[in-house]
Amino acid sequence: MRISVLPLTWHLARSSGRRGLQSQLLAAGAAAVGAFVMLVMIAASLGSGTRADHTAWRTPQADKHGTAVQALATTYVRHEPLTVVSLAQLPDRAATPAPPGLNAFPKKGEVYVSPALAELLHKLPASQLADRLPKVSSYGTIGAAGLASPDELVAVVGRAPTDPAMSKAAAEGASWFDQGQSARAVVSGFTGTKASMFTATDQAMALLGVVLLAMPVVVLSSAAGRLGAARREQRLAALRLAGATPRQIIAMTAVEAAAVGAAGALTGALAYAVLLPALAKIPYGVGSWYTGQLWVGPAWFAGVVLAVTALITVSAVSMLRQVATSPLGVAQQANPRRTRMIRLVLFVAALGYIWVSTAGGGQLKAGQLLALLIIFYGAFWLFGPWVVDRLGRIAGRFARRPATLLAARRLSDDPRGAWRTVSGLVLAGFAAGFFSVSLLGSDISQYRDQVAVTTVGTAEARQAATEARTLLSRAGVTATVTVGSEEDFDSLLGGSPGVIAHVTGGTERIDTAVTALTLVGSGTLPYSQDYAGASDRTTTDRIAQASTATLILSFVLATASAGLTAAANVLDRRRVYGLLRLAGTPLRVLDRARLRETVLPLVALAGGTTAMGVYGSYQLNKAAGAGINTSGAVELVACLVLGALAMFAAIGASRPLLRRVTADPAQSAD
């Protein structure tokens, strides 16, 4: 039998009626959500790399034939980092090119500031911020080429080579807290490759989010490809019995799924492009984004659309094996989709491999960690349907109520379909368990309300203490000033000579004290608790931001997947539901069965993955000498409860559809 595939596919799609159109719209919606989420996360990853490149010029790269001195310093205001780049042209040397964001190399006494810093300088009293910089009649502006974010606080100061701020003592390792926040070198330009400490880890964290979200997107795309699967199987089985070849029915399915998937994915991609200005307002790391940083480019744009379309197409085509080999069985709905024991064997083998790979205590590379994460998710993807199948059999054996018996039968008859409903939340449970209770980073609470100033030696520290008391009193700051001991490595001075001011009055008083003490000491900027904990805080903040975004998007994808799958199941099982209604089954019993069909695997599997995530985080915290984040544990419970409620709400949204398809039981069962 020769069939013209495209005209027949178009004819069948048009004649599928309102329910067929509903399935196609749901599938297109799923494709749109998947493409949008992946493009947003890829944009965050690529944009983070661009932002890091925009900060590399601030870290001086030594050149023995250099023409200028560059010194990097960091201070804090309102707990936010302020990067100060001091530049001094060396005499009798060639002119040094302008740094990124400036039109010319700054002359002595000139000060350029970022727009965000300019706004803050006008907002705060001079005693809290402006007096840390040289006094000028007006500030220049640093352009976007020299900034990672519109919210970044950066100042470029032109100085003389003999200025104390340009000395080696001022910028080369006064304490161990200076790592990444202070540096000095003779330079000939601004071609550094080392990103700022505040942007160096952003891309890695965003990339982790991409990997963690890839599986939920695959789950959602697979669910979209299987929407209307039962109706499609019945229709294609009839064509197969009428003489259509397996190649023809596969081609018809692929064309239909690709068209729907491409339309949905392109819609999601266009929504991403239109919403770029709004997305740029979402802060990450050092702040919000320049819109251009979040544009992924035409290659990634087209690649994501094609990838989502391909996932939906492959998912739809993969359902046709039974239609091609046994069309009569499909037409009679006589072959329940059982799972095999090999899934359990592969799951155990995968977990064993992960255990062996991580038990040695060695440091794993980022690529190895990502590979293990993919193996872990893949193992659960194989294992989930097997567990659902066994849960259905056990629940059916001990069922005492009709709704439970119906749910158990559906679980055992179609374990893969039931798994797809809950798989998104199950896989998100691991990430939720891992990130919510992690507690990494050093404890710096002993430095609270302290401001430290380093000096060249102990004698200079005693003189600096007298000067500091005078300056603090003049600024109206109540503080106790002590001379630090060079043997005390646990102090805020970290074993360096200097003075420590114990300030009373909170954040504003700390900022005032830092500003007042700027001219004290060896030319280094005074620093507080923020400076001491900057490295750990930057890492933990990025982990927290990336994990929060990942969890939110994971639960959004899981909820969308559950809602789409539930709606598709109603459409696919309309004949079964019609027969049950004709047999006298109340609608509320059918609805309860659908709910229990979700609750049973959700409790068993999501609980298991969440527990594994908590255990993994506990082991990591234990190795790092940290404990369990108790506040995070509360957030984890709240997150899981909200996720489950959102999933049940998504499933409940298909209740009117169930009522509609069973309104005329005789017609539904036909």
Side-chain angles (χ1 to χ4, degrees):
M1 177 182 177
R2 296 184 58 84
I3 300 177
S4 183
V5 172
L6 291 178
L8 183 58
T9 302
W10 173 246
H11 172 74
L12 292 176
R14 288 175 54 193
S15 60
S16 60
R18 185 174 60 184
R19 294 187 177 91
L21 179 61
Q22 289 172 340
S23 295
Q24 292 167 355
L25 290 176
L26 288 172
V33 172
F36 178 82
V37 170
M38 285 309 298
L39 281 171
V40 168
M41 292 306 298
I42 291 173
S45 178
L46 297 177
S48 295
T50 302
R51 297 210 300 188
D53 293 340
H54 278 213
T55 63
W57 68 271
R58 304 169 196 169
T59 304
Q61 186 171 359
D63 184 352
K64 61 181 179 180
H65 303 296
T67 58
V69 180
Q70 179 181 0
L72 169 69
T74 307
T75 185
Y76 288 79
V77 55
R78 294 296 189 269
H79 304 296
E80 295 298 324
L82 164 57
T83 301
V84 180
V85 180
S86 297
L87 299 171
Q89 175 70 41
L90 292 174
D92 302 324
R93 302 286 177 93
T96 307
L102 273 68
N103 295 324
F105 190 89
K107 299 177 182 179
K108 176 185 175 182
E110 291 183 338
V111 179
Y112 294 81
V113 297
S114 63
L117 178 57
E119 182 180 349
L120 196 61
L121 285 167
H122 287 90
K123 179 180 178 181
L124 297 180
S127 61
Q128 294 182 19
L129 176 58
D131 289 347
R132 302 183 197 184
L133 303 173
K135 294 184 181 298
V136 294
S137 57
S138 63
Y139 297 102
T141 301
I142 303 174
L147 301 173
S149 164
D151 301 331
E152 206 177 14
L153 305 180
V154 182
V156 177
V157 181
R159 300 183 188 271
T162 56
D163 193 294
M166 309 304 294
S167 66
K168 292 184 178 181
E172 292 189 347
S175 73
W176 60 50
F177 303 128
D178 294 334
Q179 185 67 31
Q181 301 188 84
S182 178
R184 176 196 179 276
V186 176
V187 301
S188 57
F190 303 93
T191 58
T193 57
K194 183 179 180 182
S196 165
M197 180 185 75
F198 304 106
T199 60
T201 61
D202 291 4
Q203 188 171 32
M205 293 299 102
L207 183 59
L208 177 61
V210 172
V211 174
L212 291 174
L213 282 172
M215 184 57 72
V217 169
V218 171
V219 170
L220 183 60
S221 300
S222 298
R226 289 173 169 83
L227 284 169
R231 288 175 57 84
R232 185 188 300 127
E233 285 183 345
Q234 291 291 316
R235 183 180 63 194
L236 295 177
L239 287 174
R240 183 80 173 90
L241 290 171
T245 65
R247 180 180 298 179
Q248 289 170 332
I249 64 172
I250 289 175
M252 292 171 60
T253 301
V255 168
E256 181 181 353
V260 173
L266 185 59
T267 301
L270 291 175
Y272 148 78
V274 171
L275 293 174
L276 272 178
L279 294 172
K281 301 296 183 182
I282 301 175
Y284 173 62
V286 292
S288 59
W289 309 75
Y290 291 107
T291 303
Q293 294 173 340
L294 291 180
W295 171 240
V296 297
W300 278 107
F301 187 90
V304 169
V305 172
L306 292 175
V308 172
T309 302
L311 282 172
I312 292 177
T313 304
V314 170
S315 175
V317 171
S318 65
M319 298 290 293
L320 300 180
R321 183 182 62 178
Q322 192 177 1
V323 177
T325 58
S326 180
L328 187 59
V330 171
Q332 295 178 344
Q333 298 182 344
N335 188 12
R337 296 164 181 168
R338 298 295 185 185
T339 56
R340 299 179 181 179
M341 187 66 68
I342 187 64
R343 291 175 177 267
L344 176 61
V345 175
L346 292 175
F347 176 75
V348 174
L351 290 190
Y353 175 76
I354 295 173
W355 178 269
V356 171
S357 300
T358 56
Q363 187 71 23
L364 295 176
K365 297 180 179 179
Q368 293 173 313
L369 291 173
L370 292 178
L372 291 178
L373 186 61
I374 292 172
I375 291 173
F376 176 82
Y377 278 150
F380 259 97
W381 185 253
L382 282 173
F383 184 56
W386 185 87
V387 175
V388 172
D389 193 356
R390 270 59 190 177
L391 279 174
R393 298 184 188 186
I394 294 172
R397 184 176 303 172
F398 297 99
R400 295 294 181 269
R401 295 181 180 276
T404 306
L405 183 61
L406 287 173
R409 180 59 187 270
R410 293 308 310 169
L411 292 177
S412 59
D413 279 355
D414 187 13
R416 296 175 184 84
W419 160 249
R420 286 192 295 271
T421 304
V422 300
S423 57
L425 189 59
V426 169
L427 297 177
F430 176 79
F434 183 85
F435 285 120
S436 297
V437 299
S438 61
L439 186 65
L440 300 178
S442 57
D443 182 13
I444 56 171
S445 58
Q446 69 270 27
Y447 305 140
R448 185 176 294 120
D449 298 330
Q450 295 182 20
V451 176
V453 181
T454 59
T455 58
V456 176
T458 304
E460 290 79 3
R462 296 192 185 96
Q463 181 179 353
T466 302
E467 184 180 0
R469 294 185 183 98
T470 302
L471 291 173
L472 291 172
S473 176
R474 188 179 302 165
V477 177
T478 303
T480 302
V481 180
T482 59
V483 177
S485 171
E486 295 186 29
E487 289 76 26
D488 186 8
F489 291 95
D490 292 330
S491 73
L492 186 56
L493 289 167
S496 299
V499 298
I500 298 177
H502 301 264
V503 180
T504 302
T507 301
E508 292 184 4
R509 296 291 90 188
I510 290 290
D511 288 341
T512 304
V514 170
T515 305
L517 298 176
T518 298
L519 300 178
V520 177
S522 58
T524 60
L525 291 173
Y527 60 91
S528 61
Q529 175 186 4
D530 294 320
Y531 191 91
S535 179
D536 287 338
R537 178 189 171 190
T538 299
T539 301
T540 54
D541 283 353
R542 299 305 179 270
I543 292 175
Q545 288 177 316
S547 61
T548 300
T550 301
L551 288 178
I552 291 174
L553 292 175
S554 294
F555 282 116
V556 168
L557 291 171
T559 302
S561 179
L564 289 170
T565 305
N569 287 340
V570 171
L571 295 174
D572 289 345
R573 299 173 187 172
R574 56 191 297 267
R575 181 173 182 273
V576 175
Y577 288 140
L579 291 172
L580 288 171
R581 288 300 307 276
L582 285 174
T585 307
L587 184 62
R588 65 176 181 276
V589 173
L590 297 180
D591 201 37
R592 289 174 184 171
R594 290 195 318 134
L595 184 61
R596 293 175 190 181
E597 184 182 339
T598 302
V599 170
L600 289 175
L602 187 62
V603 171
L605 289 167
T609 54
T610 304
M612 294 180 72
V614 172
Y615 177 75
S617 180
Y618 169 75
Q619 292 296 327
L620 180 62
N621 291 346
K622 184 178 179 181
I628 287 290
N629 185 355
T630 53
S631 62
V634 175
E635 293 175 2
L636 171 62
V637 174
C639 187
L640 290 178
V641 170
L642 290 175
L645 290 176
M647 177 168 287
F648 292 145
I651 295 172
S654 61
R655 187 178 296 115
L657 183 61
L658 175 65
R659 185 181 300 110
R660 192 180 309 121
V661 300
T662 58
D664 188 352
Q667 184 178 359
S668 299
D670 188 4

